[in-house]
Structures are given as C-alpha cells and as structure tokens.
Amino acid sequence: MNDYEYMRMALQLAEKGYGWVSPNPMVGAVIVKEGRIIGKGYHEKYGLAHAERNALSSCTEDPRGATMYVNLEPCCHHGKQPPCVEAILEAGISHVLVGSADPNPVVSGKGVQILREHGVRVTENVMRDECDRLNRVFLHYIQTKRPYVVMKYAMTMDGKIAAYTGASKWITGEDARRHVHQQRHRCRAILVGIGTVLADDPLLTCRIKGGRNPIRVVCDSCLRIPLTSQLVATAKQVPVIIATCCTDKEKYTAYEQAGCQVLAVPEKDGHVDLQILMEELGKQAIDSVLLEGGAMLNWSALESGIVQKVQTYLAPKLFGGQQAKTPIEGVGFASPSESVMLKNSAVTQLGEDFLIESEVDNSVYGNC
C-alpha cells in the first residue's frame, strides 16, 4: 500500500463519526510500521478520545519510529481531551502525514509546528481536496461561526413538490426517504417554517435504527405553533427551538414549560431574519442545518444567502397542474443572470429516484 491508500483508509475511518462528533471534525488515523498497519482509530463521539489517541491505544506493537496518517492536523490545545500532539510525541511517532490544515485559531498550523520542533517529520496536504470535502461542514463552521445549511426538497420531473390538491405523500420511494433520514442523523439541526408545521404537524426525527435526532428549529414569526403539535409535545425528549419575532414574553411561558427554547430574533421583511438566526444557532454549537421547509422558506433562505448546498430528490413522475407548488416560490429573480448558481453537482440513483447534490457557488451568490 502507498501513502494515498493509507490516507484513504483514514478517511473511511473518519466517516464513521458522521453525525456523532459534531461540532468537532471527523478524523481518522492509521499507524504504519515497516509496511504493517499496527494501529488505527477514529473520533467516535463528541467528548470522547480523538482519532490519534484511539489509533495509538489500538497498536499491536510499539509505535516508536512508526508513521501516522491522519486526515486533519493534530490538535495542540486542551479541550474536552488533551492535545493529540503530546500523545504522538510520547509514542515516538517519527513521521506524520496530514490531509487538511485545521483552520481553528487555537490550532491553525501550531500542531504541525510543534511536531516539527520536536524532530517529527511532517508531510502536509496529502489528498487535501478529499480531506477538505469530508469536513466541509466543520471547515465552514469554524471559519464563519455559522452552520452549514443544506436545502433539501423532493420533486417530480416536471418540478412539482405536490399535486394541485396539495397532496405530496409520497413523491419519492423508500430508498430516497431512507436517505433523508440519514441526512437528519448527520445534520445537527433541522429547520422548517410555521406553514409546514400547521399543514403537516411533522415530528422531524431521525427514524433509522441507532440514528441521532436533530435539534428541531421552527421559524414562527408570530408564535402560532400549536401547543398540541407533535413538536411541542415531544420537546422534552428531542430539543425544539422556536425562532420568533414576537416580543410578548408572556406568550413564551407555555412553550418553555413544554420544554421548548423560544429564541427572539429580529424581523426582516415581515419574517425571522435568517442571517441573525444562523448566528444564534452557531453560538449554540449547531454546525449544520438541514432545511426541510416549504417553497417560501426555501426562497427566503436563498435570498438571504444562508444556503451552502442543495439536495434535490428527483422522482420519475409528472404531476402537471398550473397551480401545483414548486420547490422555490417567492418573488424569484428577475433574470437568469441574477440566479443562484450551483456547482460540483453529483448524481446518485436511489431506487427509482435520483439525488442531485450541488454546492452553492458563493463567488456569485452575492449577486442575488
């Protein structure tokens, strides 16, 4: 095996932490000595040991003089866990190959510097693009202090998210719906508008075995969410944040007693200011948001510039209907040149359906 194969193994290990390590990055480590893999590990859950220490503790022989492959720069500060660079130095690792640099100001090159100052050979930027891609949520969050927002919707091949009657269950098949629940596990929060709550009374939990429920966030400008809704009724079991422009604090009491967090957010154009909301969610260590709102919330999110990624589940069906809803409504853009541009699109088949994943091109997003 070569360096790239060992780093690819580290990435595969790191990916096992998806949904569990937030707001930390996903990290995997592989230790090799004289061509033999003698240890490997990954960051399994937020607050637990980091990948490097797990790999070292799994070693089948003395790691002194061995090489470590790790997809992110080792930490050098005390957090919930002690610095990984200390463990690497104590173990006598002679060479560390790193994928991504850590932009966290408390690390940001310092981990590599300390290793080199103590005689450890360090090779940086090994498979950097792949390593950056795995931790795009962490990299975005640590640099902006705001969550990485994924806009998700399911539509027919003629661009409808419901029939003209409003019926929408089900547009996609079981494989696509299962994939949605995997995304709910991976994202730290899920965001909907009050319209979705009033129309569907959703639960918004992750319904895959062993999955992690997202924090449920509702944009409710006038605080209209029913106390009898599934979200409010289950708030003590799965967290609920109600973002509102309502300033009548007395109205908060019943929701707070039910277990909800009521978050006052300034108003913008008659609705919750989504930019401010993202700042507030970021302060609560929410590093990623799955946007499962309706067409109006989707438009508001795009218009406000908070979206980083779009997931389109495309079903091989045709609904027709001039009045049938589309994924994004609102005023819309006046001309093609003003539109939100997407890039790096990838297509995955899920049963009979297709998932198109695209990144928002932030270089032109400011034109919106």
Side-chain angles (χ1 to χ4, degrees), residues 38-55:
I38 64 169
K40 54 186 178 181
Y42 67 100
H43 184 28
E44 299 174 11
K45 193 172 183 179
Y46 178 72
L48 299 184
H50 292 180
E52 297 92 330
R53 289 183 177 270
N54 281 336

Side-chain angles (χ1 to χ4, degrees), residues 2-4 6-8 10-11 14 25-31 51-52 66-76 84-85 88 93-104 107-116 120-132 134-135 138-139:
N2 58 35
D3 290 343
Y4 298 102
Y6 290 128
M7 186 61 78
R8 193 166 289 113
L11 284 168
M26 292 175 283
V27 185
V30 176
I31 300 172
E52 297 92 330
T67 297
M68 176 181 285
Y69 296 81
V70 59
N71 61 289
L72 185 72
E73 179 181 1
C75 66
C76 56
C84 288
V85 292
I88 293 170
I93 297 293
S94 63
H95 186 191
V96 177
L97 290 89
V98 175
S100 299
D102 189 339
N104 189 336
V107 183
S108 190
K110 299 181 182 74
V112 166
Q113 180 183 349
I114 291 171
L115 291 174
R116 284 179 171 150
V120 178
R121 180 185 169 201
V122 179
T123 302
E124 299 180 80
N125 302 318
V126 179
M127 295 181 63
R128 171 128 191 205
D129 289 345
E130 292 89 337
C131 294
D132 284 355
L134 179 69
N135 276 313
F138 169 76
L139 296 175

Side-chain angles (χ1 to χ4, degrees), residues 102-281:
D102 189 339
N104 189 336
V106 299
V107 183
S108 190
K110 299 181 182 74
V112 166
Q113 180 183 349
I114 291 171
L115 291 174
R116 284 179 171 150
E117 287 174 349
H118 287 79
V120 178
R121 180 185 169 201
V122 179
T123 302
E124 299 180 80
N125 302 318
V126 179
M127 295 181 63
R128 171 128 191 205
D129 289 345
E130 292 89 337
C131 294
D132 284 355
R133 195 176 304 123
L134 179 69
N135 276 313
R136 56 180 167 242
V137 168
F138 169 76
L139 296 175
H140 172 84
Y141 174 68
I142 206 70
Q143 291 173 310
T144 67
K145 305 303 181 186
R146 296 183 178 191
Y148 185 95
V149 178
V150 180
M151 175 190 290
K152 164 262 169 187
Y153 53 83
M155 71 178 189
T156 61
M157 285 195 176
D158 59 341
K160 309 296 184 181
I161 62 172
Y164 76 92
T165 60
S168 60
K169 293 184 179 179
W170 295 99
I171 291 177
T172 55
E174 290 185 5
D175 290 348
R177 297 201 297 274
R178 189 179 304 112
H179 189 273
V180 169
H181 284 281
Q182 291 173 353
Q183 301 314 298
R184 289 184 179 182
H185 163 75
R186 292 181 171 190
C187 288
R188 193 68 194 93
I190 184 170
L191 173 65
V192 297
I194 185 61
T196 296
V197 177
L198 295 175
D200 301 334
D201 190 21
L203 193 55
L204 303 179
T205 52
C206 173
R207 293 188 284 278
I208 56 175
K209 186 177 180 180
R212 180 190 194 188
N213 285 320
I215 296 168
R216 300 167 298 173
V217 184
V218 182
C219 284
D220 184 6
S221 302
C222 300
L223 206 53
R224 295 184 292 147
I225 184 170
L227 289 167
T228 56
S229 66
Q230 290 196 89
L231 290 174
V232 176
T234 59
K236 290 182 179 178
Q237 289 76 51
V238 182
V240 171
I241 298 174
I242 304 172
T244 184
C245 306
C246 175
T247 56
D248 182 358
K249 297 297 179 69
E250 290 186 5
K251 292 183 68 175
Y252 294 10
T253 304
Y255 297 104
E256 291 172 340
Q257 288 177 345
C260 300
Q261 176 191 352
V262 182
L263 183 63
V265 179
E267 173 268 339
K268 183 178 181 181
D269 300 327
H271 301 285
V272 168
D273 188 323
L274 293 177
Q275 286 277 3
I276 301 297
L277 175 58
M278 291 304 110
E279 291 178 6
E280 293 301 320
L281 295 181

